[in-house]
Amino acid sequence: MMMLQNKKTIVVQRKMMIVVKKQKNDDAGTMRENDVEVNLLNLPMDPGLRHPISYYKVNIQDQVQRQYLQNGPCQPKTHNFPLRHFGKQSRRFNLAWFDKFGNWLEYSIAKDAAFCLCCYLFKPEIGEQASGESFTKHGFTNWKKLERLRVHVGCSNSVHNDT
């Protein structure tokens, strides 16, 4: 067991469980501790259900990122992808896109949307950027615009490649 300590936060790490003890003043001005547990083996796999990396305390963000990298992108290959209507046409997420964009493309069953694992983990949160939050927070759902997946990766100086 490892224990890190500073004035206001005590972090205890046991195997893959991290407990963050936050000290705060209650209404009477007394210091109280609140435990926030993060089980690295039980992080949400569905990208539509994840907290942003910035949600986690700075001292455990690297461990959360590392765990998501070890898990790899969420690619539910046996899922029956629902149809979305685009005018008179109906389209759905295409399973073959996992082969084409497999190292970063994720799919959220909860949101019926595509996400980017690399951008989720490493994109700096500095306001709107090229693709905004469509591949990190809201999800991409315009199945008739496959070229947007290619554009998302972009050229060598794109946000995606900077991650």
Side-chain angles (χ1 to χ4, degrees):
M1 174 167 46
M2 176 176 70
M3 189 153 182
L4 305 168
Q5 189 171 354
N6 66 28
K7 259 184 176 178
K8 294 195 177 189
T9 305
I10 300 170
V11 178
V12 180
Q13 182 178 5
R14 296 180 200 108
K15 295 185 182 178
M16 296 303 286
M17 177 72 75
I18 296 175
V19 179
V20 179
K21 294 181 181 270
K22 293 197 245 176
Q23 295 179 343
K24 70 175 188 174
N25 290 329
D26 64 8
D27 293 337
T30 308
M31 292 297 283
R32 302 257 187 236
E33 288 188 347
N34 290 340
D35 289 353
V36 178
E37 290 189 3
V38 177
N39 183 342
L40 295 176
L41 297 176
N42 199 25
L43 293 169
M45 284 300 298
D46 188 306
L49 302 176
R50 293 178 187 154
H51 294 292
I53 293 296
S54 61
Y55 165 85
Y56 300 99
K57 293 295 174 194
V58 173
N59 56 345
I60 65 166
Q61 287 179 1
D62 286 347
Q63 292 167 308
V64 172
Q65 288 170 316
R66 191 174 304 114
Q67 187 62 44
Y68 275 119
L69 281 172
Q70 288 175 345
N71 292 346
C74 177
Q75 298 180 341
K77 295 182 178 180
T78 60
H79 180 64
N80 184 17
F81 303 103
L83 289 171
R84 283 187 179 253
H85 300 287
F86 297 93
K88 294 181 180 180
Q89 294 181 335
S90 295
R91 297 184 186 246
R92 69 179 74 199
F93 181 88
N94 188 333
L95 184 62
W97 296 342
F98 286 144
D99 294 330
K100 192 167 192 138
F101 306 104
N103 61 340
W104 63 267
L105 185 64
E106 298 190 285
Y107 177 83
S108 168
I109 293 174
K111 289 190 174 181
D112 181 30
F115 290 82
C116 175
L117 178 63
C118 298
C119 290
Y120 166 73
L121 293 175
F122 303 113
K123 179 180 169 186
E125 291 187 32
I126 51 174
E128 287 294 312
Q129 295 177 355
S131 60
E133 296 179 328
S134 45
F135 284 94
T136 57
K137 184 176 180 182
H138 307 297
F140 174 78
T141 59
N142 194 348
W143 308 138
K144 71 178 189 173
K145 298 280 187 181
L146 175 61
E147 68 273 6
R148 298 266 170 91
L149 296 176
R150 289 187 207 98
V151 169
H152 174 70
V153 175
C155 58
S156 60
N157 64 349
S158 75
V159 173
H160 186 270
N161 290 315
D162 286 345
T163 62

